[in-house]
Amino acid sequence: MLAEINTFLNDLIWGSLLIYLLPILGIFFTVSSRFVQFRYFFKMFHILRETVHDKDGHISSFQALMLSVAGRVGGGNIAGVAVAITLGGAGAVFWMWVIGLVGMATSFFECSLAQLYKEKDELDSCVYRGGPAYYATKALGQRWLGVVISILLMITFGFAFNATQSFIISTSFEASFNLPTWISGVILTLVFGITIFGGVKRIARMSEVIVPIMAVSYLLIASVVIVLNFSEIPALITRIITEAFSPSSAIGGGIGAVILQGAKRGMFSNEAGLGSAPNVAAVAYVGHPVQQGIVQSFSVFIDTIILCSCTAFIILLSGAYVPGAQGVQGVLLTQTALIEHIGPLGGYFVTFALFLFGFSSMIYNYYLAENSLNFFSKGNATSFNVFRIICIALIIWGSMQDLGSIFSFADLSMGLLAIINMVVIALLYKPVLKLIRGYERQLKEGIVPVLRYNDYSEFKIDKAIWKEIVDNINDKKS
């Protein structure tokens, strides 16, 4: 009975509400900001080159980007894309691209808000906290809404998704190397525990190392596949675009199924608007909220346009995918395709990639949960340590369980979180538009933009934080 209710609610939230709400609001944010994700696309590289030096060692914009990419990039980039192609054909990739490009604007808005309304950590003055719970509470004056958001984040990411990631990684190693799940579970738990007990700074440093290795290695293997099949690329691009509007007869459901699969996998993969990434965006030490909004919109591009496309090309350039066939799908389809391209090494590579993608997602998920706990328990070191022990225990437990029902419940709680977050962002779009105008005005003046915090008094921001940041930046200039 409970499983049936869970399935019904999941279908209602993801299939009837979010499938329309996320792209519609994404288009609204894109148009109202005058296509900010495209206008400032190349500005991102300049922002990451700028290093804001401060004596206390805050988390940099680059570290926040890597932590965000760690969360967005996961099993969805390997297995999710394969599912989208299996159920929606090559045309689903086109709609995945579209939802990614639109989602860049949504991510810009939510992450700019997270920066604007951030606050200091009670235990470490060099760490900031923020996200949907914080901007819903401060900007809307609705603490109860912040409590609901925090609970949903803790349940979804801290408990359910991390236990499930542990199961996926452990079973992958068992399938590839015949390694018992409890052994890989213990190893995973040790590395995870060492990371999270170091706090958010160690989590950021770990992401700074893992994510570039993860992304570059996957790009390299995809590049090898593309080079080996270079002559087929123009025809493949044409096929993707053509089948986006005129799908193969082997695809059940027609164009509706193609759009649905591409949009769903794009949303699941890049998480734009789901309320997770803003928690990470808030930690970055930047002079103006728009800077982190730009950087975080780029993380959506990395996830969907670059890494999801890598998987799509690997599959579609192989003979492993047969339109309408249901035998091989998910991770197995990606593995089979890569083995066809480069031999048995391809299967082992997919397992290795799943480990890196999965582990990086785990530390990101933990940070989201810790940030949510901070909303309830500011400055209480004991509660944080107890919470870490519970999260560690769930990792080793999850490695030995079949967690399909838990994952389904997490989808439900994440769907509720996304609806709340998207409504809150829509209500708060005006402060973001004011941030954009202020940022652009300073660029035209020929100065490096910093938040002129006195101009935002009506939005109930923490002026003390921004005064400290701006004064530090100005001191470095002089």
Side-chain angles (χ1 to χ4, degrees), residues 30-335:
T30 297
V31 174
S32 65
S33 65
R34 293 177 294 120
F35 299 86
V36 67
Q37 70 269 46
F38 305 122
R39 289 191 296 118
Y40 285 129
F41 183 82
F42 293 103
K43 186 72 177 172
M44 184 277 309
F45 298 99
H46 179 68
I47 291 170
L48 290 179
R49 282 199 305 269
E50 291 175 348
T51 301
V52 180
H53 296 286
D54 72 290
K55 63 181 183 299
D56 298 316
H58 289 87
I59 293 170
S60 70
S61 187
F62 177 75
Q63 287 175 319
L65 172 64
M66 290 301 98
L67 186 52
S68 176
V69 172
R72 296 186 198 273
V73 175
N77 297 80
I78 297 177
V81 174
V83 171
I85 292 173
T86 301
L87 300 179
V93 177
F94 174 84
W95 296 109
M96 193 168 59
W97 289 340
V98 170
I99 208 74
L101 293 173
V102 170
M104 289 172 69
T106 303
S107 187
F108 175 90
F109 270 69
E110 63 180 349
C111 293
S112 295
L113 283 171
Q115 268 287 322
L116 182 65
Y117 290 101
K118 67 185 178 184
E119 62 183 45
K120 279 191 176 182
D121 189 300
E122 296 281 344
L123 296 174
D124 188 344
S125 62
C126 295
V127 171
Y128 299 116
R129 300 284 184 177
Y134 294 80
Y135 52 71
T137 298
K138 291 185 175 183
L140 299 180
Q142 304 294 327
R143 180 169 172 79
W144 69 270
L145 197 55
V147 170
V148 171
I149 291 170
S150 294
I151 291 172
L152 289 173
L153 273 164
M154 287 177 65
I155 292 173
T156 305
F157 294 95
F159 300 148
F161 278 174
N162 263 3
T164 306
Q165 286 285 0
S166 176
F167 171 76
I168 292 170
I169 293 171
S170 299
T171 52
S172 176
F173 270 87
E174 184 180 43
S176 295
F177 303 105
N178 201 28
L179 185 70
T181 55
W182 73 267
I183 294 178
S184 51
V186 168
I187 295 171
L188 195 60
T189 301
L190 288 173
V191 179
F192 178 78
I194 291 169
T195 302
I196 67 171
F197 267 99
V200 66
K201 290 183 180 179
R202 183 178 291 173
I203 291 172
R205 285 195 296 270
M206 180 71 83
S207 297
E208 192 177 23
V209 173
I210 290 178
V211 172
I213 294 173
M214 172 182 76
V216 170
S217 62
Y218 203 63
L219 278 173
L220 285 175
I221 204 77
S223 298
V224 169
V225 172
I226 290 170
V227 169
L228 291 173
N229 300 273
F230 190 74
S231 61
E232 299 178 36
I233 298 300
L236 176 58
I237 299 295
T238 302
R239 177 187 173 189
I240 289 172
I241 295 173
T242 301
E243 292 193 18
F245 301 94
S246 181
S248 165
S249 58
I251 301 300
I255 189 172
V258 177
I259 296 173
L260 180 66
Q261 289 303 318
K264 280 179 72 174
R265 293 305 146 191
M267 290 185 298
F268 265 107
S269 180
N270 65 50
E271 297 187 11
L274 301 191
S276 51
N279 296 272
V280 174
V283 308
Y285 189 83
V286 293
H288 198 288
V290 164
Q291 293 172 318
Q292 189 59 198
I294 294 169
V295 168
Q296 291 296 330
S297 74
F298 184 68
S299 73
V300 175
F301 184 87
I302 293 172
D303 173 89
T304 307
I305 308 302
I306 297 178
L307 293 176
C308 283
S309 297
C310 286
T311 301
F313 280 26
I314 288 170
I315 292 171
L316 294 173
L317 287 170
S318 75
Y321 166 65
V322 178
Q326 300 295 319
V328 180
Q329 53 186 297
V331 173
L332 185 58
L333 176 58
T334 308
Q335 279 185 315

Side-chain angles (χ1 to χ4, degrees), residues 275-391:
S276 51
N279 296 272
V280 174
V283 308
Y285 189 83
V286 293
H288 198 288
V290 164
Q291 293 172 318
Q292 189 59 198
I294 294 169
V295 168
Q296 291 296 330
S297 74
F298 184 68
S299 73
V300 175
F301 184 87
I302 293 172
D303 173 89
T304 307
I305 308 302
I306 297 178
L307 293 176
C308 283
S309 297
C310 286
T311 301
F313 280 26
I314 288 170
I315 292 171
L316 294 173
L317 287 170
S318 75
Y321 166 65
V322 178
Q326 300 295 319
V328 180
Q329 53 186 297
V331 173
L332 185 58
L333 176 58
T334 308
Q335 279 185 315
T336 304
L338 199 51
I339 289 171
E340 182 179 310
H341 288 300
I342 63 173
L345 179 65
Y348 296 122
F349 177 84
V350 170
T351 299
F352 172 72
L354 265 178
F355 168 73
L356 286 181
F357 285 20
F359 182 73
S360 65
S361 292
M362 285 168 61
I363 59 178
Y364 166 85
N365 291 344
Y366 169 77
Y367 173 71
L368 298 182
E370 182 189 276
N371 195 52
S372 300
L373 178 64
N374 183 74
F375 188 80
F376 295 106
S377 185
K378 301 183 192 305
N380 190 328
T382 301
S383 63
F384 276 93
N385 287 331
V386 170
F387 180 70
R388 286 165 182 158
I389 291 170
I390 294 172
C391 289

